[in-house]
Amino acid sequence: MIDHDGFRPNVGIILSNRERRLFWGRRIGQNAWQFPQGGIRSDETPEQAMFRELQEEVGLDHHQVTILGSTRGWLRYHLPKRYIRRHCGPTCIGQKQVWFMLRVDCDEDAFQLDLSDKPEFDAWRWVRYWQPLTEVVYFKRHVYLQALEELAPSLYPEGAPARELRQQPRQSAGNALLRQRRG
């Protein structure tokens, strides 16, 4: 299902554990990491799609999580031109997503990445809140930032942790390069 602007409706899922670390999944057969996400079918609400995708990609049911929050509206990203398939209609230029913040209320042994016929992930780990911004594919980065900023109060009512992780790698790499040139 593609909307009249060329965006595919989608849900994004941010899972948090008791320590407020986030589930970070590695796409099967790739060195690419992301949050669970998936398309919304024409007969589904975003919440129904989120629970279906959660079951398909992570193996968790609705009774194993608590919804802490969701984005107020759609967050959009454009696909790079090389990923746009123009010869199969309708043309999809990107995704519009409703994001959900969930708390995991079960043990980690309940996670099952291989329940669907086409698993999305072959590994996962818990990461600090802002770490996904340093690892997600570049064209999704601004949507991840928007989702994490908007949903931070649902996980951190006292105030989200500083975003030093997002900026630190670039600064340290640049500083190391400067030191090499001077040395």
Side-chain angles (χ1 to χ4, degrees), residues 25-34 113 118-124:
R26 185 177 67 192
R27 292 190 52 92
I28 200 157
Q30 303 175 34
N31 188 24
W33 294 79
Q34 69 176 51
L113 304 181
K118 293 183 176 182
E120 290 284 326
F121 303 118
D122 60 11
W124 65 276

Side-chain angles (χ1 to χ4, degrees), residues 69-86:
S70 64
T71 54
R72 290 180 297 277
W74 298 106
L75 305 181
R76 290 173 172 77
Y77 70 83
H78 287 82
L79 291 167
K81 289 181 181 178
R82 68 180 176 271
Y83 295 129
I84 297 175
R85 294 181 226 142
R86 300 207 182 267

Side-chain angles (χ1 to χ4, degrees), residues 39 48 69 79 91-92 96-97 119 127 130 137 166 183:
Q48 291 169 330
L79 291 167
T91 300
C92 176
K96 63 181 188 179
Q97 300 175 310
V127 298
W130 299 108
V137 65
R166 182 169 62 110

Side-chain angles (χ1 to χ4, degrees), residues 9 11 24 31 47 73 98 102 147 176 180 182:
V11 293
W24 197 226
N31 188 24
E47 186 173 313
V98 173
L102 307 178
Q180 285 176 349
R182 289 181 187 158

Side-chain angles (χ1 to χ4, degrees), residues 10 33 38 55 68 77 81-82 107-108 112 124 134 178:
N10 191 283
W33 294 79
Q55 173 67 34
L68 301 178
Y77 70 83
K81 289 181 181 178
R82 68 180 176 271
D107 293 329
E108 292 175 8
Q112 298 177 62
W124 65 276
T134 66
L178 276 174

